[in-house]
Amino acid sequence: VTNGGKTTLAEKLKKMLPNCGIISQDDFFKPESEVETDERGFKLYDVLDALYMDEMVKSIHNWIKSPASSGVVTEELQNTCDNLKNTEDVYILIVEGFLLYNYEPLNELWNRRYFLTLPYEECKRRRSTRVYQPADTPGYFDGHVWPMYLKYKNEFEENAINVVYLDGTKSQEELLSFVYSDIIQELQKLRE
């Protein structure tokens, strides 16, 4: 969900996990001139066609081929991963974005999937406090953003995409603690 805390959570995890990098879907938006406009005059940013998804997939594959030299990994080893031994050979890539599970070429790549949710009112309130370029036009949230969120959420649920739902109204500390612990458990399983 928009304004659910995806980027904040990813940045905090990056500081806590060994050799961790982030690829953000927001870095792959097409320029405004290439984004379609609907009959109401809304720029259609909350759809896959507004993004260079092939470039994003390419960036992820480049990281997988060579995580240490990818440019998205933190330069120094983070030593906060007390629950794992020999973390120097562990590389973690966090991919964060709002339409990750609706793009088929990505669905084979995930070890874990998390999905932040927010109730409509809280999401709208948070969205109203953010400044976007271009700025949200009146009615944009109700006319485009929220309907697209519901559409894509329903789409991946219908496709039985397995995700861990996270309540975006919980504190950042609660969310961070849960996801960090879950990732550590996943790493331990992968190493066994």
Side-chain angles (χ1 to χ4, degrees):
V1 69
T2 183
N3 295 277
K6 299 176 296 295
T7 304
T8 301
L9 180 59
E11 291 294 337
K12 288 182 178 202
L13 285 166
K14 180 179 177 180
K15 292 176 183 172
M16 295 176 68
L17 294 166
N19 297 321
C20 185
I22 297 173
I23 292 178
S24 175
Q25 192 172 39
D26 285 352
D27 294 337
F28 296 90
F29 271 109
K30 294 177 179 176
E32 184 179 0
S33 62
E34 292 182 36
V35 175
E36 287 186 47
T37 303
D38 73 6
E39 66 281 351
R40 297 166 293 181
F42 293 147
K43 284 286 187 179
L44 303 180
Y45 280 103
D46 290 63
V47 298
L48 285 167
D49 286 343
L51 298 146
Y52 292 119
M53 291 302 295
D54 290 342
E55 289 298 316
M56 184 177 190
V57 172
K58 183 178 169 185
S59 293
I60 294 168
H61 281 291
N62 287 341
W63 184 90
I64 290 169
K65 287 179 199 164
S66 183
S69 63
S70 67
V72 298
V73 172
T74 52
E75 297 205 6
E76 62 186 59
L77 179 65
Q78 303 291 333
N79 291 319
T80 58
C81 210
D82 299 330
N83 298 338
L84 290 176
K85 294 182 172 110
N86 302 319
T87 57
E88 53 280 341
D89 65 341
V90 172
Y91 291 93
I92 299 167
L93 179 64
I94 298 170
V95 181
E96 66 96 4
F98 67 109
L99 289 175
L100 299 175
Y101 309 137
N102 303 88
Y103 191 66
E104 189 60 37
L106 291 175
N107 283 330
E108 302 296 317
L109 302 176
W110 313 127
N111 291 93
R112 299 296 285 159
R113 292 181 181 97
Y114 303 97
F115 190 90
L116 278 155
T117 63
L118 282 176
Y120 166 84
E121 289 298 332
E122 177 63 11
C123 186
K124 187 172 184 174
R125 185 194 68 74
R126 289 185 189 184
R127 178 82 181 205
S128 71
T129 66
R130 298 272 298 269
V131 177
Y132 289 92
Q133 282 300 338
D136 282 358
T137 55
Y140 189 67
F141 181 84
D142 288 319
H144 176 65
V145 175
W146 190 255
M148 289 299 99
Y149 161 70
L150 294 176
K151 174 187 183 283
Y152 284 111
K153 182 176 180 277
N154 289 335
E155 183 180 288
F156 82 74
E157 287 174 341
E158 286 173 6
N159 290 328
I161 304 278
N162 185 26
V163 300
V164 175
Y165 288 94
L166 303 172
D167 179 352
T169 63
K170 289 190 176 183
S171 73
Q172 291 178 3
E173 294 75 24
E174 259 184 292
L175 291 170
L176 179 63
S177 176
F178 174 81
V179 175
Y180 176 78
S181 296
D182 193 56
I183 290 171
I184 296 302
Q185 288 176 15
E186 181 70 14
L187 287 172
Q188 288 170 336
K189 284 184 214 167
L190 290 171
R191 294 180 75 114
E192 291 173 358

